[in-house]
């Protein structure tokens, strides 16, 4: 709830505004703030004004939820408010503590002076949501700190410690602790001067021009073009900053405004704003309130010291949580410990970790071959071979040794968590924690909620995910949960296209041009082609009705599992991670096509992308309707953080909404005619068909209805 208070400190009016949790400058706050400022200006007993935020921070900026709605422009909009401040006849001082970002910083730049606490961080993160500072930031900041520093702040989008501005006109003083008293003192001092006629300092009256500006802008444009080709905002930021150095202030302000509005409606900005809120929404669970008590996690244990187990152990060590790492064999345990040690030493070599911190981190690891050593763990994560019989055996053992109240987590990537839980006498303590390889790097964590998983266990693991710096998404129990269930359809289509005429390199190139970090065949070579082979063998028994191209099985029968065997869909050279098209594979695919009696055809990149992406979307619609995912944006987060989907497209569901679900369904109908291998697959999932028929979208509220 928005609140604005005005308290007199002598002749100074201290106006404090707030809108929990981050003092975003929504319309209610803007109206109340304008009223308080006008009242202070009109009050003859007031000689100066201080503006500051509630709750120990200044402001996170404009309310992003208002964007694209009339509320955002409702008077007073942020630009109006800043003009009111800047044109005040009485000095206005911004007292900045904590976070001061975006429109919050722009509001402070409209003030005549700024006082910041040493812990304050100032920034203009708009570029990270596909925008530029749209309330004067691109015009005032370069005038106060120079074009070069302004380029860094605006293009970087990161919060900057206030002390870095101490020697610039942006900051009048840097103080320890609460900045308000110093701001009141400054306002008092300056009000006398200005009452005597001394003009008030206004950022708009400084100059950003200079001989070095042009080369700086050329360098900035070249850098941005090379790095952010898919993102329109960075170049527009530079255009706006150039205006600050070359145009009169009001012209520059109008230019900035036009660029801001243009960016606001780009699909990239809509996607980035969607991703911002989607990541935060994913941590919320409809029937598990944020007040749910959580269990203490002071010690962890990991079973299995392979690639996944050692990566998971590293994640806990990085969070300062002691880990008991258990293996069944000394050699395997030793290899796991060595893998962990190498990663930690690598971080020291790269300067990311001090020797002392590395020593402390290493000391938190306790390797063991004895299950009894797991007795004190608050959470035990199993990362053994992806075979149900093996998992069941481990959980039966855990049930005997784990202390009461310990959380028992499985890192399975596809298996039935309920079946695993049923192996124990405590199914309420069992949960899925599906990490993605490499577990110490990938942000995504699928938290698989079993039928009997207790709410406090779920709440505890969601909180733990934040401690581990993971983005957790809750999934229900199904084969493959959210991400892998969808990727299975994606891979199926990719393999069918090899049968029909495409090469691995053509498929990969098409989706990488769409924006994926890595195409399906390079990704499979990285993860290991034997993983998919193992799943297809299981699938052939469990779901013989599901059609597959056998081309991947032919590849695996040659032992071509990918990078780890020196060859997969591509050839690899020792010490070189580049993927080289393989003559062996081309021949294998050709032979396979002949065995099918298929005449190869050219498959255009658009068909490749549509078949792969809409395969994801169609399966995702089923996942959403079945309640496996809580919301469409959760599915987007899974793909943005775990599968290299381009963030500037917002995720598969956001992208489908942008294309339009009617268009998606029409395209699927075309694909079903082109694509001979599984036309039934292209039947739209019921939810997708319903939304397409009614003009709905996945990410609109209640998309599961
Ligand atoms: N608008 C609306 N809601 C916001 C918000 C914002 N600017 N910032 C945060 N929230 C919500 C967030 O969704 C979450 O909601 C809650 O606040 C806590 O956020 C005109 C155009 C400030 C560093 O881009 O970087 O000004 O999930 O979990 O980890 O030029 O929030 O609780 O319902 O992130 O402590 C520019 C974005 C806006 C800053 C705090 N500003 N925010 O991090 O909390 S555009 C930004 C952040 C603008 C002007 C332009 C972070 C934070 P819920 P949180 P946190």
């Amino acid at each position: 709830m928005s609140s604005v208070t005005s308290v007199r400190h002598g002749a100074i009016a201290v106006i404090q505004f707030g809108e929990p949790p981050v003092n975003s400058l929504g319309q209610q706050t803007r109206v109340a703030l304008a009223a308080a400022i006008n009242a202070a200006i009109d009050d003859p007993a007031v000689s100066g004004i201080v503006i500051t935020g509630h709750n120990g921070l200044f402001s996170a900026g404009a309310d992003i939820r208002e964007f694209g709605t009339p509320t955002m422009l409702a008077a007073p909009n942020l630009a109006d408010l800043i003009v009111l401040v800047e044109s005040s006849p009485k000095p206005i001082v911004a007292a900045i503590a904590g976070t001061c970002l975006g429109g919050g910083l722009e509001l402070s730049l409209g003030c005549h002076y700024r006082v910041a606490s040493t812990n304050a961080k100032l920034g203009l993160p708009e570029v990270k949501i596909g925008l530029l500072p749209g309330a004067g930031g691109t015009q005032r900041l370069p005038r106060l700190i120079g074009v070069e520093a302004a380029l860094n702040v605006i293009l970087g989008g990161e919060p900057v410690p206030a002390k870095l501005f101490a020697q610039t006109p942006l900051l009048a003083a840097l103080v320890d602790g609460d900045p308000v008293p110093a701001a009141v003192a400054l306002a008092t001092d300056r009000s006398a001067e200005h009452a005597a006629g001394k003009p008030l300092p206004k950022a708009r009256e400084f100059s950003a021009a200079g001989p070095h500006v042009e080369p700086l802008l050329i360098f900035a444009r070249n850098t941005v073009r090379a790095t952010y080709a898919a993102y329109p905002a960075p170049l527009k930021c530079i255009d706006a900053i150039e205006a600050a150095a070359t145009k009169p202030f009001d012209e520059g302000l109008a230019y900035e405004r036009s660029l801001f509005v243009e960016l606001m409606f780009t699909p990239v900005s809509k996607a980035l704003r969607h991703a911002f809120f989607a990541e935060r929404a994913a941590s919320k669970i409809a029937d598990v309130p944020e007040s749910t008590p959580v269990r203490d996690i002071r010690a962890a244990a990991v079973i299995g010291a392979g690639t996944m187990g050692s990566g998971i152990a590293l994640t806990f060590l990085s969070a300062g949580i002691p880990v008991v790492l258990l293996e069944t064999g000394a050699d395997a345990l030793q290899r796991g410990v060595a893998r962990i040690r190498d990663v930690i030493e690598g971080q020291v070599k790269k300067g990311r970790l001090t020797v002392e911190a590395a020593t402390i981190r290493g000391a938190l690891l306790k390797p063991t071959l004895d299950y009894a050593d797991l007795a004190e763990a608050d959470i035990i994560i199993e990362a053994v071979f992806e075979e149900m019989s093996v998992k069941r055996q481990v959980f039966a053992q855990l049930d005997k040794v784990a202390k009461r109240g310990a959380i028992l987590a499985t890192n399975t990537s596809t298996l039935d968590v309920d079946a695993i839980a049923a192996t124990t006498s405590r199914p309420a303590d069992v949960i899925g924690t599906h990490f993605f390889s490499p577990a110490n790097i990938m942000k995504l964590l699928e938290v698989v909620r079993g039928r009997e998983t207790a709410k406090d266990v779920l709440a505890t693991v969601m909180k733990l995910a934040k401690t581990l710096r993971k983005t957790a998404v809750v999934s229900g129990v199904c084969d493959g949960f959210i991400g892998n269930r969808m990727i299975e359809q994606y891979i199926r289509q990719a393999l069918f296209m090899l049968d029909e005429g495409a090469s691995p390199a053509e498929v990969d190139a098409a989706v990488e041009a769409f924006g994926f970090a890595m195409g399906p065949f390079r990704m499979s070579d990285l993860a290991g082609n034997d993983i998919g082979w193992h799943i297809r063998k299981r699938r052939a028994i469990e779901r013989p009705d599901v059609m597959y191209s056998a081309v991947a099985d032919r590849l695996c029968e040659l032992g071509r599992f990918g990078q780890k065997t020196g060859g997969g869909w591509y050839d690899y050279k020792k010490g070189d991670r580049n993927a080289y098209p393989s003559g062996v594979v081309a021949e294998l695919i050709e032979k396979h096509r002949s065995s099918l009696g298929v005449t190869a055809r050219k498959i255009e990149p658009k068909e490749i992308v549509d078949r792969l992406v809409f395969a994801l979307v169609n399966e995702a619609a089923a996942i959403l309707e079945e309640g496996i995912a809580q919301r469409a944006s959760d599915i987007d987060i899974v793909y943005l953080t775990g599968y290299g989907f381009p963030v500037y497209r917002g995720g598969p569901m956001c992208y489908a909404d942008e294309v339009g679900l009617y268009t998606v369904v029409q395209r699927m109908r075309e694909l079903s005619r082109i694509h001979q291998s599984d036309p039934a697959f292209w039947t739209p999932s019921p939810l997708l068909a319903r939304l397409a028929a009614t003009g709905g979208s996945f990410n609109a509220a209640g998309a599961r209805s």
Side-chain angles (χ1 to χ4, degrees), residues 380-619:
I380 303 170
I381 298 182
E382 159 276 315
V384 300
F385 188 60
E386 190 72 358
E387 185 63 60
M388 183 55 89
S389 58
V390 177
K391 302 241 189 232
R392 278 187 166 140
Q393 193 182 4
V394 165
F395 273 79
Q397 186 76 342
L398 283 182
D399 202 21
K400 294 182 190 131
V401 302
K403 71 179 182 184
R404 284 293 134 205
I407 292 175
L408 309 181
T410 170
N411 179 54
T412 181
S413 57
T414 56
L415 299 175
D416 184 338
V417 173
D418 291 330
I420 293 171
T423 317
T424 72
S425 63
R426 45 178 128 176
D429 293 338
V430 178
I431 193 167
T433 51
H434 177 211
F435 290 83
F436 284 71
S437 185
N440 51 310
I441 305 254
M442 294 295 283
K443 273 179 69 84
L444 179 60
L445 175 64
E446 276 184 326
V447 177
V448 185
R449 181 177 189 173
R451 193 174 36 250
E452 299 191 49
T453 301
K455 290 187 178 182
D456 71 320
V457 169
L458 196 53
T460 302
V461 171
M462 294 302 279
K463 181 176 181 236
L464 174 65
K466 287 189 174 170
T467 306
L468 300 177
R469 302 171 67 78
K470 295 295 179 187
T471 300
V473 176
V474 176
S475 171
V477 176
C478 71
D479 193 330
F481 313 132
I482 297 172
N484 282 351
R485 175 168 155 185
M486 289 166 61
I487 207 73
E488 187 166 348
Q489 298 308 332
Y490 175 90
I491 298 287
R492 252 173 29 105
Q493 291 305 320
L495 295 175
F496 285 143
M497 283 191 274
L498 297 189
D499 293 354
E500 295 169 41
S503 70
E506 284 171 337
V507 173
D508 283 351
V511 291
E512 286 165 18
F514 173 80
F516 273 90
M518 198 178 276
F521 295 106
R522 286 180 59 219
M523 179 180 72
S524 193
D525 271 357
L526 179 66
N529 298 319
D530 47 332
I531 295 172
W533 194 24
H534 180 73
I535 291 172
R536 285 193 303 280
K537 286 177 183 169
R538 175 164 64 84
R539 183 81 69 239
I541 298 164
E542 292 169 353
R543 294 282 311 277
D545 58 310
V546 177
M547 292 171 61
Y548 272 95
S549 159
V551 68
D553 302 338
R554 299 294 86 78
L555 183 86
C556 290
E557 285 153 9
L558 297 178
R560 293 182 68 95
F561 294 153
Q563 289 189 23
K564 61 186 177 185
T565 56
W569 293 107
Y570 297 91
D571 289 339
Y572 298 91
K573 296 170 185 164
K574 201 156 180 56
D576 175 356
R577 297 179 73 87
N578 288 320
Y580 297 93
S582 162
V584 169
V585 171
E587 196 180 321
L588 178 149
I589 293 171
E590 190 41 52
K591 195 173 161 198
H592 180 66
R593 278 187 201 127
S594 306
S595 73
L596 298 173
V598 168
T599 305
R601 70 178 175 92
K602 171 71 178 158
I603 302 182
E604 294 302 330
K606 177 168 174 23
E607 181 184 334
I608 294 172
V609 170
D610 287 349
R611 274 172 73 169
L612 293 185
V613 175
F614 294 158
L616 292 176
V617 170
N618 202 29
E619 193 62 29

Side-chain angles (χ1 to χ4, degrees), residues 21-22 24 60-65 67 78 99 101-103 106 125-126 129 132-135 260 276-277 280 284:
V22 293
S24 47
D63 186 336
I64 308 173
R65 282 168 295 214
F67 292 172
L78 194 50
T99 297
L101 299 176
E106 291 174 297
E126 289 86 343
I129 49 176
L132 54 70
F260 176 78
F276 174 86
F277 288 115
R280 287 153 179 84
K284 294 172 177 57

Side-chain angles (χ1 to χ4, degrees), residues 649-693:
R649 295 187 190 274
M653 313 305 264
C654 179
Y655 172 70
D657 285 345
E658 182 62 27
V659 168
L661 299 188
Y662 171 81
T663 304
V664 171
V665 167
Q666 287 304 104
R667 182 63 174 139
M668 288 168 68
R669 287 203 176 92
E670 290 167 15
L671 291 172
S672 68
R673 287 193 288 276
I674 300 172
H675 170 40
Q676 305 310 318
S677 307
D678 186 7
F681 171 75
W682 292 110
T683 303
S685 299
L687 173 64
L688 172 54
R690 231 175 15 254
L691 290 172

Side-chain angles (χ1 to χ4, degrees), residues 219-269:
F219 175 74
R221 287 192 168 100
N222 291 341
T223 306
V224 156
R225 280 198 189 96
T227 317
Y228 299 104
Y231 295 82
L235 277 177
K236 302 284 184 205
C237 287
I238 298 170
D239 294 345
I241 292 166
E242 180 176 42
T246 57
K247 294 175 188 283
F249 182 83
D250 288 328
E251 254 186 69
L253 207 58
Y255 184 53
E256 172 197 85
R257 192 86 201 138
S258 68
L259 294 177
F260 176 78
V261 172
E262 184 186 333
L263 287 171
M264 167 81 64
F265 292 98
T266 57
V268 170
S269 183

Side-chain angles (χ1 to χ4, degrees), residues 120-375:
K121 289 198 171 183
L122 288 59
L124 292 171
E126 289 86 343
V127 73
K128 294 166 85 170
I129 49 176
L131 298 171
L132 54 70
T138 66
Q139 305 306 304
R140 291 189 175 89
L141 190 66
R143 285 176 163 81
L144 290 175
I145 65 173
V147 165
E148 184 173 11
L151 281 168
N152 289 331
V153 170
I154 293 170
L155 291 174
E158 293 301 325
V160 174
K163 65 185 177 190
L164 296 186
F165 300 109
Q167 308 308 320
T168 72
L170 188 152
L171 216 47
L174 192 64
V175 296
D176 288 330
D178 181 1
V180 170
V184 169
L186 180 65
T188 305
D189 290 350
R190 294 294 189 278
S191 57
E193 291 173 12
H194 297 306
K198 182 179 176 188
L200 289 166
K202 296 177 184 179
R204 60 184 296 140
E205 290 163 3
F206 287 68
S207 167
H212 58 292
V213 168
E214 192 177 346
L216 266 175
L217 295 173
I218 291 169
F219 175 74
R221 287 192 168 100
N222 291 341
T223 306
V224 156
R225 280 198 189 96
T227 317
Y228 299 104
Y231 295 82
L235 277 177
K236 302 284 184 205
C237 287
I238 298 170
D239 294 345
I241 292 166
E242 180 176 42
T246 57
K247 294 175 188 283
F249 182 83
D250 288 328
E251 254 186 69
L253 207 58
Y255 184 53
E256 172 197 85
R257 192 86 201 138
S258 68
L259 294 177
F260 176 78
V261 172
E262 184 186 333
L263 287 171
M264 167 81 64
F265 292 98
T266 57
V268 170
S269 183
K270 285 192 272 185
L272 294 172
R273 297 190 322 253
H274 165 73
F276 174 86
F277 288 115
E279 182 168 4
R280 287 153 179 84
S283 63
K284 294 172 177 57
I285 304 168
D287 64 336
V288 181
E290 296 195 9
S291 56
T292 304
V294 296
R295 300 182 188 181
D296 280 340
I297 301 291
R298 294 195 182 89
V302 174
I303 301 177
T307 306
M308 285 309 289
S310 50
I312 295 168
L314 270 165
T315 305
F316 279 91
L317 296 175
S318 303
I321 299 174
V323 178
V324 174
L325 179 64
L326 179 134
E327 249 299 350
T328 48
D331 291 348
L333 182 60
Q334 188 47 45
R335 281 196 300 275
V337 171
R339 197 178 289 121
I340 291 169
R341 188 188 56 235
D342 290 350
V343 169
I344 293 175
E345 285 173 1
Q347 288 171 315
V348 173
K349 283 186 190 125
K350 290 174 197 155
R352 292 185 190 148
L353 206 57
T354 63
V355 173
E356 296 71 28
T359 307
I360 291 167
R361 193 168 291 186
L364 293 174
L365 178 68
K366 179 181 181 196
T368 183
L369 298 173
D370 184 353
Y371 264 85
D373 287 336
L374 308 184

